[in-house]
Each structure stands twice: as C-alpha cells, then as structure tokens.
Amino acid sequence: MQTTVRTALVLCLGILLAGCASLDVTSPQYERSKTYDFTDKEKDKLYVAINDWLSQSANSQETEVEFTDKEAGKISAKIITQGVSCGPLEDFYLTADWTFDVKDGAYRVRVDPLHVDTNARRKTTSLNEKCGRKVLREVTRTMRGLETHIVNYESF
C-alpha cells in the first residue's frame, strides 16, 4: 500500500515538474521566416513550383491553400505538419499559417504557428520545452523540403 502511494506521489511530482518548463509555440519568437534566392528562376515558375509542392505535400500532411494571387506573387496556406512523437502517449501536430511572397529570382516564406493538436484531439499552444522544440524542428524540415522541391523541379 505504501509503495502505491509513494509511486502516485512521484508520478504527480513528475507531471508537475514537466509542466514547469514549457514553450509557447505561438509566441512571435517562434515564427519562422526565410528568403530563398533562385536568381535563375522567374517569378511565374517559382509560383508554379510552390503550388506544385503544396499539392504534393497534401499527401503527407494536411494542406489547405487559402489564397493565391499569381500576379501579385502571393500564396497563403494552412498546413498541419506530420505528427511529432514526444512520448508514449500522444503525437503532436502543428497547425500553422504559411505565407509565400514570390518574385523573380526569390521567394520568402513565413510560418506563423497557430496551435498544436494531439492525436487525442486536444488543442494547446504550450508544450514542454523538449517537445516544443521537436515540433518547431518539423517546421524547419518542411521548409527545407520545399527548397529541395524547387531545386529539383522539372519545369524550369
């Protein structure tokens, strides 16, 4: 009986301590923004390549294109990244607004994290620091995937 009480107290203390070091993924400091230079690529071709990536990435993550304006070189989409495992119980999925500004020779992408969902359908904006960093690394990985797609895009 005493062992059960002790185990329960240790478990509660562990949960409390894990909640102390948290990271708010929606904080402006975690917005990701990067400009990619492709001096030999025209605006129209970059625009098409980004749209192609968005449609292809819908196979591996949930992607909803919300706005496109080819003339202005603007695309905005809501993307839910692949699940990031942060422990044995739940995977975390980051929902973020992605905004693309495209011009001749370059594009800029800005990622604004909105919230994190779990496979238990729980929304949150704050995660323990280790898990929060893993979720944000997934954004960086996805941005690199777009850059690779453009480098290898066949229609240039």
Side-chain angles (χ1 to χ4, degrees), residues 18-19 21-25 86 92 116 118 122 124-133 135:
S22 67
L23 183 137
D24 181 359
V25 295
C86 292
F92 293 87
V116 175
T118 68
R122 184 171 49 93
T124 184
T125 58
S126 186
L127 298 169
N128 72 55
E129 190 167 353
K130 181 180 177 185
C131 185
R133 298 220 179 274
V135 168

Side-chain angles (χ1 to χ4, degrees), residues 35-43 46 103-107 146-152 156:
T35 300
Y36 295 88
D37 292 316
F38 290 93
T39 52
D40 59 333
K41 312 283 191 249
E42 299 171 9
K43 173 181 152 186
L46 284 170
K103 63 181 187 175
D104 281 335
Y107 74 90
L146 170 59
E147 182 182 22
T148 301
H149 179 79
I150 290 175
V151 166
N152 297 322
F156 283 121

Side-chain angles (χ1 to χ4, degrees), residues 107-126:
Y107 74 90
R108 182 173 70 93
V109 59
R110 189 179 80 234
V111 181
D112 298 308
L114 299 174
H115 59 83
V116 175
D117 293 301
T118 68
N119 54 355
R121 306 242 187 273
R122 184 171 49 93
K123 279 188 178 16
T124 184
T125 58
S126 186

Side-chain angles (χ1 to χ4, degrees), residues 38 46 48-57 107 142-156:
F38 290 93
L46 284 170
V48 169
I50 291 169
N51 270 305
D52 182 67
W53 176 78
L54 286 167
S55 68
Q56 285 186 23
S57 68
Y107 74 90
T142 304
M143 289 171 75
R144 273 192 240 116
L146 170 59
E147 182 182 22
T148 301
H149 179 79
I150 290 175
V151 166
N152 297 322
Y153 190 64
E154 297 292 324
S155 297
F156 283 121

Side-chain angles (χ1 to χ4, degrees), residues 76-97:
S76 67
K78 190 173 297 301
I79 296 177
I80 301 175
T81 60
Q82 292 180 354
V84 174
S85 179
C86 292
L89 300 178
E90 294 182 301
D91 286 345
F92 293 87
Y93 303 84
L94 178 70
T95 299
D97 282 332

